[in-house]
Amino acid sequence: MTKNPHILELVNEYRYRKGIVVTDEKSFVYKVFKIIYLIAFLWTFIFNALFTIGSFVSYNFSEITVNITPAITLIIATVFLIAGLILIMTKLYVPAGILNVFSIILGTVQYYTLLSSDIQLQGGITHFFYWRHFFPAIILLISVTVICVIGIKSKILLNRDYKKVVEKIYIKNKDQLSNITDDDWQKLLESGELFKEKEKDDENF
């Protein structure tokens, strides 16, 4: 739901007066983890694309039979990864988190399966698998978790403070608003009529 810019301004004033500090999408922590997320996203996307392209080239031109199933699996994982990025950019954090986590798990398991022979031969996870796939997947998982937690929490807190400010506006003007309908109340808020005169008594908010 689109929020009234006049009320959002009052929310910021309310938080400032009350000393309320919220870690939201504008915070330094959020921006840092978003950069980390984008780097991990690009890393994962590039390796998925390279593997997929290589698999289809081998499938079409190699004289031996090439299993194309892993490439298809990674295509699906990459589609979910891209969709997750788009949802994060549009601040739809719950579905974004789900798609990113599903993509990370699907891609990591697929790479582990592809390299299972090398892993068994080495008696453990190889450096190749760790640095190219597992470590970036962990970074991606941590960063997307932090981003989604901050985004979801900031929305919850904004809705809380927004509701408080709206209630205070109504209480302050209840005598003149007592006979209006809910639709008229919403239209009055959207018009900005209640915000044309600056509040003189800060304690009312």
Side-chain angles (χ1 to χ4, degrees):
M1 182 180 70
T2 302
K3 289 182 167 50
N4 189 304
H6 302 290
I7 299 178
L8 288 176
E9 185 177 344
L10 290 177
V11 169
N12 291 332
E13 293 178 6
Y14 166 78
R15 286 178 170 179
Y16 178 77
R17 284 193 294 270
K18 296 293 184 180
I20 299 173
V21 179
V22 177
T23 303
D24 56 15
E25 291 95 340
K26 298 178 182 178
S27 67
F28 177 76
V29 174
Y30 180 90
K31 290 177 181 178
V32 168
F33 275 95
K34 194 170 184 180
I35 291 172
I36 295 172
Y37 166 77
L38 291 173
I39 293 172
F41 170 89
L42 287 173
W43 181 280
T44 305
F45 176 81
I46 289 170
F47 275 101
N48 286 359
L50 290 174
F51 179 86
T52 301
I53 293 170
S55 296
F56 279 102
V57 169
S58 298
Y59 179 80
N60 289 313
F61 297 103
S62 178
E63 295 181 358
I64 61 175
T65 302
V66 176
N67 183 12
I68 206 69
T69 302
I72 295 174
T73 302
L74 288 176
I75 288 175
I76 296 172
T78 304
V79 169
F80 282 126
L81 188 67
I82 294 171
L85 172 65
I86 294 171
L87 290 174
I88 281 181
M89 293 303 181
T90 54
K91 300 181 180 181
L92 298 173
Y93 295 109
V94 173
I98 293 172
L99 287 176
N100 273 280
V101 170
F102 186 78
S103 173
I104 292 166
I105 294 173
L106 187 63
T108 304
V109 170
Q110 183 59 77
Y111 279 121
Y112 184 89
T113 303
L114 286 168
L115 299 170
S116 59
S117 299
D118 291 338
I119 292 171
Q120 292 174 3
L121 184 64
Q122 297 292 332
I125 297 177
T126 62
H127 291 295
F128 178 84
F129 172 78
Y130 183 80
W131 291 110
R132 286 196 179 182
H133 308 298
F134 184 74
F135 182 71
I138 294 298
I139 297 297
L140 191 62
L141 180 61
I142 293 173
S143 60
V144 76
T145 299
V146 173
I147 288 171
C148 290
V149 168
I150 291 175
I152 293 170
K153 186 177 180 181
S154 67
K155 281 188 176 183
I156 292 172
L157 294 178
L158 178 59
N159 289 334
R160 179 200 66 184
D161 294 340
Y162 190 92
K163 183 179 179 180
K164 284 182 180 179
V165 170
V166 171
E167 287 176 351
K168 290 179 182 294
I169 293 172
Y170 185 82
I171 292 171
K172 183 176 178 61
N173 299 276
K174 63 181 179 180
D175 292 337
Q176 65 186 84
L177 301 175
S178 58
N179 296 322
I180 69 172
T181 65
D182 290 341
D183 288 339
D184 290 335
W185 164 242
Q186 291 300 325
K187 290 178 181 178
L188 188 60
L189 288 175
E190 291 171 4
S191 69
E193 290 294 326
L194 294 174
F195 314 104
K196 286 185 177 180
E197 294 185 3
K198 188 69 176 176
E199 300 290 342
K200 294 181 180 179
D201 187 3
D202 288 342
E203 292 183 357
N204 288 332
F205 285 90

